[in-house]
Amino acid sequence: LQTRLQAGQGYGNTLSCVLAVYRNESVAGFFKGMSFPLASVAVYSSVVFGVFSNTQRLLSQLRYGDPSHTPALTDVALASMVAGFVSVGIGTPVDLVKIRLQMQTQPYIEANIKLKPTVPGFPVYRGPIHCFRTVLQKEGIAGIYRGVGAMLLRDVPGYCLYFIPYTFFCGRITPDGCISPNPSSIWLAGGIAGAISWGTATPMDVVKSRLQADGVYLNKYKGTLDCILQSYQNEGLKVFFRGITVNAVRGFPMSSAMFLGYELSLKAMKRDQTETNP
């Protein structure tokens, strides 16, 4: 839904998008392009959280001489920016394949000209591997990393608004006297952080989605700035808030589960280390 709302044509709102996808593509339409993200989500998440936590530990070591020292807010912000920067290297190709698979059935509308796949009724790409290989052959590495600038502008500040609110709310929600946050505090703080992060990242998410969807049939945008200018000139400021409801709503449960899994995994590993090395 997010991709269709941001880069597609003819969807008035979230409900109309849901009905249109179901009417035209049945339930399977809601799961297009998901195999590649599902296959890579474990690697992506472990890299993001691993870079974030290890950067925090390094900064605490340099600043206080103790890697386990509670990091300052500036350290959390810097670690978040590093995590966002590194995540783009993995996330850009994955998002591009997902978006191309989701958008290939959508007609390209420009100047009242409707372009469809070469063979009517058949998609451009047969699957994620075919999509990745086709883009790589036709557009090279630059094609695989199309939209990387917009993704950097989305993820670097986006992860700051992900980890900082989590740290803040987790500290506020956790009862006084508790050494570590309980699962309910983690779940709630993670959900709030996810909703904030994805909600505020929507404008650049729209630009990224449009750049990566561009190229299924024609290359309409020359780059990030050109996409921003064309989108604004053609559709006004409101275009940059397309899909904000979907982003904020999905951000809560997704981030709740992510942070809960992360924190419980850390606790389990620390407990194992303590039992192994009493």
Side-chain angles (χ1 to χ4, degrees):
L1 295 180
Q2 169 211 4
T3 302
R4 302 287 178 90
L5 286 167
Q6 293 177 344
Q9 298 284 344
Y11 302 114
N13 52 46
T14 304
L15 180 59
S16 67
C17 182
V18 171
L19 295 175
V21 171
Y22 180 75
R23 183 170 56 250
N24 297 328
E25 304 169 55
S26 75
V27 176
F30 296 103
F31 297 93
K32 281 188 176 178
M34 291 307 299
S35 57
F36 209 38
L38 282 174
S40 59
V41 67
V43 175
Y44 178 84
S45 298
S46 63
V47 168
V48 169
F49 280 87
V51 169
F52 171 74
S53 59
N54 282 300
T55 302
Q56 276 196 140
R57 289 175 61 84
L58 176 61
L59 292 171
S60 293
Q61 174 68 45
L62 294 173
R63 187 188 292 267
Y64 307 107
D66 179 10
S68 62
H69 191 281
T70 303
L73 184 61
T74 53
D75 295 339
V76 176
L78 183 56
S80 302
M81 292 172 67
V82 174
F85 186 84
V86 172
S87 73
V88 171
I90 301 172
T92 303
V94 173
D95 269 17
L96 181 122
V97 170
K98 179 193 73 173
I99 287 173
R100 290 288 178 93
L101 290 172
Q102 290 173 342
M103 293 302 297
Q104 64 178 333
T105 57
Q106 303 298 295
Y108 183 97
I109 302 173
E110 178 66 19
N112 296 321
I113 298 174
K114 186 178 288 188
L115 300 177
K116 295 182 178 179
T118 307
V119 181
F122 287 86
V124 179
Y125 309 113
R126 294 192 294 270
I129 302 301
H130 179 253
C131 177
F132 185 89
R133 187 171 63 245
T134 301
V135 174
L136 188 61
Q137 289 174 348
K138 292 184 177 180
E139 305 174 47
I141 296 296
I144 291 296
Y145 280 90
R146 183 172 179 81
V148 68
M151 198 159 182
L152 277 169
L153 292 173
R154 184 196 73 173
D155 284 3
V156 172
Y159 274 112
C160 286
L161 293 172
Y162 188 62
F163 288 111
I164 292 176
Y166 170 74
T167 303
F168 174 79
F169 285 111
C170 207
R172 285 301 185 95
I173 297 170
T174 301
D176 293 337
C178 291
I179 300 174
S180 60
N182 56 48
S184 60
S185 298
I186 296 169
W187 182 86
L188 183 57
I192 294 172
I196 292 172
S197 177
W198 275 106
T200 53
T202 298
M204 289 313 303
D205 195 40
V206 170
V207 175
K208 180 200 71 77
S209 295
R210 291 187 162 213
L211 282 168
Q212 293 184 326
D214 190 40
V216 176
Y217 306 115
L218 292 176
N219 286 322
K220 180 180 178 182
Y221 306 116
K222 297 176 183 178
T224 302
L225 182 59
D226 183 51
C227 180
I228 293 171
L229 293 175
Q230 284 199 49
S231 298
Y232 177 73
Q233 290 169 357
N234 295 331
E235 301 171 68
L237 189 63
K238 65 181 181 180
V239 69
F240 300 109
F241 297 93
R242 281 189 178 183
I244 189 170
T245 303
V246 174
N247 273 344
V249 169
R250 77 161 185 170
F252 192 100
M254 182 176 68
S255 299
S256 293
M258 196 78 72
F259 276 109
L260 190 59
Y262 168 70
E263 294 286 5
L264 293 180
S265 297
L266 282 182
K267 286 183 180 180
M269 287 186 287
K270 288 178 181 178
R271 185 170 58 250
D272 289 342
Q273 288 178 352
T274 303
E275 292 174 354
T276 306
N277 303 302

